[in-house]
Amino acid sequence: MSEQVEERTGEPFAFNEETERKFQETLGKYPTKMAVLLPALWLAQEQNGYLTDAILEYVAERLELSPVHVYAVVEFYTMYHRTPPGRYHIQLCRTLSCTLCRMEGIERHLAAKHGLHPGEKTDDGMFSLELVECLGSCGTAPVMRVNDVYCENLTLEKVDKIIESCKAGTQLEEDPMQPH
Amino acid sequence: MSKQIISTNFDKADAHKLEVYEKLGGYRSLEKVFKMKPEEIIDHVKKSGLRGRGGAGFSAGMKWGFVPKSIDKPKYLCVNADEGEPGTFKDRKILQLDPHSMIEGIITCSYAVGIHTTYIYIRGEYTKPRIRTQAAIDEAYAKGYLGRNILGSGFDLDVIVHRGAGAYICGEETGLIESLEGKKGEPRAKPPYPAVIGVFGCPTVVNNVETLSALPFIMNEGWEAYARLGTEKSTGTMLFSISGSVERPGVYEGEFGVNLWDFIERSTGGVRGGRKLKAVIPGGSSAAILTAEEAGSTNLDYESLAAAGSMVGSGAIMVLGEDDCVVKALRVIARFYAHESCGQCPQCREGTYFISELAERLESGHGDQSDIEKILDTCPMMMGVTVCVLADSIAIPARSYIEKFRHEFDEHVKQKRCPYDSARAPAVA
Ligand SMILES: Cc1cc2nc3c(=O)[nH]c(=O)nc-3n(C[C@H](O)[C@H](O)[C@H](O)COP(=O)(O)O)c2cc1C
Ligand code: SF4
Ligand code: FES
């Protein structure tokens, strides 16, 4: 069997000043360094957009953890990106309540009209689409999350507006949360 | 509408801000709390009958009582705000609309158990709820409700928000603990229970957001007032997340003991578009399904739903109308569990995948009778044999969907397609 050596990804990495400050603050909140791993990965991802091998090794070193542990943890969770997502990363919910509210119609529309397909990124790097499990917003299904913003009660028209807003670079706003 | 305890502030403008929360009577319970002995509070909460709202429905006061009193280790509270059970969306409301009620509950629980550090584990996707919660914590520190010597009581408490990173299994309490420690969220074998050995090797209470949010009422009004609501063993009220094919989905607070369908219909206006009811899944996707008839004759409380072969769970009620497909529902939830199995138990890793594949085949019209039998044969092999109950959480519903809606499965085989196929219909709001 021939051994396949994958190339290690990423430029040399270090936290910038702002991230370093947050990192130091976080260290004080936990009794072990290992517990800082998830927060540190979030900080790294906020700074860089995704997590390269170089970043994982940097984080491992900062927290005195074995790189193997860090790789395994990152692999386990779905929200850490190992490759650059689109500028707008869309998570469309596919679980039961959204299905009962016809999320397939939204999925087909994203593909047919906007060329967005699950697991793919558009050539211009603007959008990536991921089908995800229940987003905890089943009362306003169908739902998708665009970067940090929940877009609820989706209709085809609403989806078009959201995509246009992204293209125009306007900040998306969440609908005000209803009491029910 | 029925009694409101947890959702009273949901429709009050800016109740997430400390100033407004205080005007609405917020943090009032602490004066009473700090005058009581910790054991008295535990006893008080036990007598209220309050049960955990995360899914298992275990007595909150009893759980606190399991934590060793004298131990030379720190103790921790982990607030479970991972809210991942499909159909559940009530903790998001609390975190975003009324986070101080949870913080007030956290202080009560921590004081009663002798805890000085609380972690709130919030699912990674909940950005706005997390920001609101952090802002509320900051305000509470500034006002002396958190930090050193709270309200001159001599009691210290730190509250730290911890962000999850996308994994349903981290909602399971020991998965949560592993994740908080900086590892994969793989559940631990129990015993030992977290109350004895939890996070960082120390005694730990894990409570759901809503469980804690019920505490201010219980402390203010007394356990008797709480226990008077609901039924003898299902006391008080609960937030029910109602979704699926209903006119007005949403979070509705209800007193236990009411008729299930009656409550759903009164709250949401019934099945969307005036269609007929087909089925109700009452307690999150892990719950056994109820036929329309059963939903109409069952009460909404822990004992009645257990007697009907289902459960209250996380209070997530999903409604299927006459043209919703039960086979498809099984396909979707089986895929969910296959995706979310942490993989450490072979019965779960293989079983969830197998059921998911079979359900997919059946739903697409490519299945045959033996596929239905294979699912039924797989279910018992997954029950009661794994580290956590995720495996049971698909075995139980899978079996109930087939047993109660066998004709729908048979029709898929016979017609070689989905007889409903709502997938072709356009999206509706
Ligand atoms: C697979 C699985 C997922 C769970 N997810 C959640 C969850 O997202 N939120 C929650 O509060 N409890 C969840 N639970 C229940 C917890 O294990 C635990 O019982 C609960 O947090 C205890 O708090 P409570 O007693 O206040 O309900 C889950 C359990 C299992 C088996
Ligand atoms: S039952 Fe499934 S999810 Fe639970 S520990 Fe085992 S493999 Fe993991
Ligand atoms: S099923 Fe889509 S948000 Fe819950």
Side-chain angles (χ1 to χ4, degrees):
Chain A
M1 217 166 81
S2 73
E3 198 174 311
Q4 210 180 345
V5 182
E6 284 195 23
E7 216 174 313
R8 189 170 160 281
T9 63
E11 304 290 312
F13 177 86
F15 287 151
N16 62 27
E17 210 175 302
E18 167 77 359
T19 311
E20 182 64 33
R21 190 184 54 73
K22 290 184 186 162
F23 176 69
Q24 291 300 335
E25 212 174 276
T26 310
L27 281 173
K29 295 180 175 174
Y30 299 87
T32 67
K33 283 220 163 115
M34 191 184 272
V36 183
L37 179 54
L38 268 66
L41 291 168
W42 277 121
L43 290 174
Q45 182 157 299
E46 270 159 35
Q47 180 179 321
N48 191 65
Y50 68 106
L51 301 173
T52 62
D53 294 350
I55 293 178
L56 299 192
E57 279 154 36
Y58 172 79
V59 170
E61 196 184 304
R62 292 297 308 268
L63 294 173
E64 296 163 33
L65 299 170
S66 81
V68 178
H69 177 83
V70 175
Y71 278 95
V73 166
V74 168
E75 194 64 33
F76 186 83
Y77 297 94
T78 58
M79 294 184 76
Y80 294 125
H81 300 301
R82 291 286 275 125
T83 53
R87 183 126 71 89
Y88 295 95
H89 181 61
I90 301 177
Q91 297 174 295
L92 177 66
C93 175
R94 67 175 190 186
T95 315
L96 187 51
S97 305
C98 285
T99 301
L100 290 168
C101 294
R102 317 281 188 264
M103 64 70 62
E104 286 112 324
I106 304 291
E107 187 187 345
R108 275 195 306 273
H109 186 69
L110 283 170
K113 175 142 187 209
H114 300 288
L116 304 186
H117 303 277
E120 290 181 15
K121 185 162 76 166
T122 52
D123 291 337
D124 59 4
M126 273 293 270
F127 297 100
S128 49
L129 176 64
E130 184 188 7
L131 296 184
V132 297
E133 300 298 349
C134 181
L135 285 167
S137 189
C138 331
T140 49
V143 180
M144 65 187 191
R145 190 171 172 268
V146 182
N147 293 344
D148 271 350
V149 176
Y150 271 68
C151 303
E152 304 166 59
N153 292 311
L154 292 175
T155 58
L156 303 189
E157 299 71 48
K158 204 163 171 183
V159 167
D160 291 343
K161 279 208 189 101
I162 292 163
I163 298 289
E164 275 156 32
S165 299
C166 292
K167 285 183 177 161
T170 33
Q171 179 66 39
L172 296 175
E173 292 283 348
E174 279 185 14
D175 294 340
M177 186 180 268
Q178 300 303 315
H180 280 301
Chain B
M1 199 74 256
S2 73
K3 180 81 184 166
Q4 283 190 313
I5 289 176
I6 299 150
S7 60
T8 35
N9 289 346
F10 286 5
D11 62 353
K12 311 282 190 298
D14 292 332
H16 63 280
K17 295 183 180 153
L18 179 59
E19 197 192 338
V20 177
Y21 182 70
E22 283 178 324
K23 283 206 185 101
L24 295 165
Y27 289 110
R28 197 157 50 86
S29 74
L30 295 185
E31 206 180 312
K32 198 159 165 188
V33 165
F34 289 130
K35 279 195 193 125
M36 290 168 78
K37 290 204 190 76
E39 314 82 82
E40 286 171 352
I41 297 173
I42 296 181
D43 197 47
H44 188 91
V45 174
K46 265 185 208 165
K47 285 199 232 148
S48 76
L50 175 66
R51 298 168 67 159
R53 305 296 190 227
F58 194 79
S59 156
M62 291 219 330
K63 189 188 282 190
W64 302 356
F66 293 150
V67 176
K69 301 266 163 327
S70 48
I71 185 165
D72 58 353
K73 283 183 187 171
K75 303 171 200 173
Y76 294 98
L77 168 62
C78 293
V79 182
N80 195 338
D82 198 48
E83 193 152 72
E85 179 73 15
T88 319
F89 47 100
K90 43 120 187 157
D91 295 335
R92 178 163 169 247
K93 297 258 182 204
I94 298 175
L95 298 171
Q96 194 162 324
L97 299 176
D98 196 22
H100 284 289
S101 70
M102 169 187 65
I103 298 171
E104 192 172 342
I106 287 172
I107 299 166
T108 303
C109 169
S110 299
Y111 173 74
V113 183
I115 287 164
H116 301 291
T117 310
T118 292
Y119 292 98
I120 308 177
Y121 190 108
I122 304 183
R123 66 176 294 177
E125 293 87 348
Y126 280 0
T127 304
K128 195 152 185 187
R130 190 178 66 248
I131 292 169
R132 282 273 175 95
T133 302
Q134 185 61 58
I137 291 170
D138 294 345
E139 283 181 310
Y141 268 104
K143 201 71 194 284
Y145 292 123
L146 292 175
R148 305 281 83 79
N149 189 19
I150 296 169
L151 304 179
S153 65
F155 178 69
D156 303 338
L157 177 63
D158 283 315
V159 177
I160 295 151
V161 170
H162 186 89
R163 181 179 187 186
Y168 165 67
I169 198 58
C170 294
E172 197 280 340
E173 55 187 5
T174 58
L176 183 151
I177 286 169
E178 286 282 307
S179 176
L180 183 57
E181 290 182 352
K183 304 177 200 152
K184 298 192 272 182
E186 291 176 344
R188 297 175 181 171
K190 290 178 263 190
Y193 288 92
V196 182
I197 300 178
V199 75
F200 309 123
C202 299
T204 302
V205 171
V206 183
N207 269 141
N208 172 259
V209 173
E210 184 188 345
T211 313
L212 295 160
S213 283
L215 293 169
F217 176 92
I218 294 172
M219 299 316 296
N220 280 327
E221 312 295 325
W223 64 265
E224 299 91 339
Y226 193 80
R228 257 199 306 277
L229 300 168
T231 70
E232 193 195 334
K233 288 185 177 150
S234 302
T235 61
T237 65
M238 181 157 171
L239 294 180
F240 295 99
S241 311
I242 311 181
S243 68
S245 293
V246 289
E247 280 290 345
R248 291 183 304 276
V251 171
Y252 298 92
E253 185 164 0
E255 198 174 328
F256 286 111
V258 294
N259 176 276
L260 174 61
W261 178 247
D262 198 47
F263 175 72
I264 298 170
E265 200 169 34
R266 256 188 305 121
S267 307
T268 67
V271 182
R272 194 170 48 215
R275 290 174 295 156
K276 282 213 312 248
L277 175 68
K278 176 183 280 183
V280 173
I281 301 168
S285 63
S286 313
I289 201 166
L290 300 174
T291 62
E293 199 170 273
E294 288 169 322
S297 61
T298 304
N299 282 354
L300 185 47
D301 58 71
Y302 290 96
E303 286 65 40
S304 304
L305 279 171
S310 193
M311 62 178 189
V312 169
S314 61
I317 299 174
M318 287 167 279
V319 174
L320 278 68
E322 58 186 327
D323 48 5
D324 292 321
C325 176
V326 173
V327 182
K328 184 182 205 168
L330 177 60
R331 169 178 60 86
V332 170
I333 71 154
R335 180 179 63 191
F336 170 81
Y337 289 104
H339 185 259
E340 300 300 334
S341 166
C342 83
Q344 54 173 339
C345 317
Q347 300 93 332
C348 173
R349 189 181 61 233
E350 309 294 332
T352 52
Y353 180 76
F354 193 49
I355 295 178
S356 172
E357 293 282 294
L358 292 168
E360 160 115 53
R361 202 146 84 202
L362 285 162
E363 203 251 335
S364 65
H366 297 98
D368 55 41
Q369 284 293 334
S370 75
D371 293 327
I372 305 176
E373 295 307 324
K374 279 184 207 152
I375 297 178
L376 288 173
D377 291 344
T378 307
C379 294
M381 294 192 274
M382 297 174 72
M383 287 161 70
V385 291
T386 49
V387 170
C388 84
V389 296
L390 185 139
D392 306 69
S393 302
I394 179 61
I396 292 167
R399 192 162 67 182
S400 79
Y401 289 22
I402 296 177
E403 281 173 359
K404 293 188 185 170
F405 293 92
R406 177 75 193 220
H407 54 282
E408 287 198 17
F409 287 81
D410 293 342
E411 276 307 301
H412 280 72
V413 172
K414 205 153 69 191
Q415 296 188 26
K416 297 196 184 306
R417 66 180 189 96
C418 176
Y420 301 97
D421 214 354
S422 51
R424 271 183 211 113
V428 293

